Amino acid sequence: MSGLLGFNFPFSLESFAAPHLPVFVLVVVVVATMPIMTLGLSAAISPQSLSKGAISAVIPGFVEVLFLLWDTARSSQAGGADIIWVALAFGVLILHAANTVFDVTKWPVAADAIQVAHAQACSCQSLL
């Protein structure tokens, strides 16, 4: 499941949407909004796991991302990106956030990061 949520589905969706978006918009949407999406998904699944430190670390960065998106939308760099493609880019980050939350909640007790990475790679390879 981690291979699908973390690799196959988001990279397929990103490959589909990327040619229709300016690079800056794609990077800001997918990379910079990842922490707030992960925090929101985590809060929806397990509200007791939120801490004031996590919230205070993520909120200022998200506000900065909003300023970047606003500035880019006003400038000529935005390139007239259609909202459909931007929405698909948000789908990429939702899948990445879901993978992060899934990994945290379902991480095998006796497994280390290398073993999980190998399992993810095997699941991705089997789909290719």
Side-chain angles (χ1 to χ4, degrees), residues 19-122:
H20 304 281
L21 290 170
V23 173
F24 182 76
V25 172
L26 185 65
V27 169
V28 168
V29 168
V30 175
V31 176
T33 56
M34 180 75 172
I36 193 75
M37 184 60 66
T38 304
L39 184 69
L41 210 55
S42 178
I45 292 172
S46 177
Q48 70 271 13
S49 67
L50 287 180
S51 69
K52 289 179 184 177
I55 294 169
S56 64
V58 169
I59 296 299
F62 184 66
V63 170
E64 290 179 25
V65 167
L66 291 176
F67 282 124
L68 284 172
L69 283 173
W70 176 263
D71 188 50
T72 302
R74 291 184 316 129
S75 74
S76 61
Q77 291 178 342
D82 192 357
I83 192 69
I84 298 296
W85 300 114
V86 175
L88 287 176
F90 272 104
V92 172
L93 83 98
I94 290 169
L95 289 167
H96 280 303
N99 177 58
T100 301
V101 173
F102 177 81
D103 284 349
V104 168
T105 58
K106 302 295 182 184
W107 193 276
V109 176
D112 62 15
I114 300 298
Q115 292 169 324
V116 172
H118 285 151
Q120 289 173 335
C122 287

